[in-house]
Amino acid sequence: MSRSAKKICANVDKSVKDQAVTLANAVLAMQEKIDKQIPVYASMPLAQTVEKGDGKKILRQNPAVAEFRATVRDYASALKDLNEILDENKKPAEANRLYALRERFKVQA
């Protein structure tokens, strides 16, 4: 597991922590790929001319552009899901130790 993914999910309840860390690792992997491909994507043509079997040339969407866009969409969706998991599954705040002892033994200050 990635250290960054563990840090991202440090405050997630243990009941969903493994799934959250897995999703965080996937998000980080997609982010790395997207970051590397942005300069390549910027220089790609959006469409390309292809020759059909009958010899006619037609304009088609560049498959590399389509794949990049799909990766970005998947990344955005996974990031949204991860943020929801992080928000909804935070560990309960730990009480102040002194307060907890006072409550346990019903000691009043």
Side-chain angles (χ1 to χ4, degrees):
M1 286 189 237
S2 167
R3 261 188 123 65
S4 296
K6 285 182 180 180
K7 278 185 179 179
I8 290 169
C9 300
N11 294 324
V12 173
D13 186 78
K14 69 179 184 175
S15 65
V16 295
K17 190 168 202 137
D18 288 344
Q19 294 89 343
V21 170
T22 298
L23 184 56
N25 277 319
V27 167
L28 292 170
M30 285 189 281
Q31 180 179 356
E32 186 177 328
K33 288 200 177 284
I34 290 168
D35 287 342
K36 286 180 182 177
Q37 289 300 313
I38 287 174
V40 176
Y41 174 76
S43 65
M44 281 184 208
L46 295 177
Q48 58 189 20
T49 304
V50 276
E51 190 171 325
K52 291 176 55 177
D54 61 5
K56 291 183 182 178
K57 292 185 180 188
I58 60 169
L59 197 60
R60 288 228 171 127
Q61 181 180 17
N62 184 340
V65 168
E67 186 59 34
F68 178 81
R69 290 174 41 200
T71 301
V72 171
R73 276 192 305 274
D74 291 347
Y75 168 77
S77 176
L79 184 58
K80 180 182 176 204
D81 292 344
L82 178 61
N83 283 326
E84 287 175 6
I85 289 171
L86 295 175
D87 288 343
E88 294 172 5
N89 294 287
K90 291 179 183 170
K91 288 182 195 172
E94 293 184 27
N96 178 321
R97 290 177 67 188
L98 182 57
Y99 176 78
L101 283 173
R102 283 183 181 159
E103 286 296 305
R104 183 173 178 193
F105 296 108
K106 306 273 187 214
V107 176
Q108 299 197 3

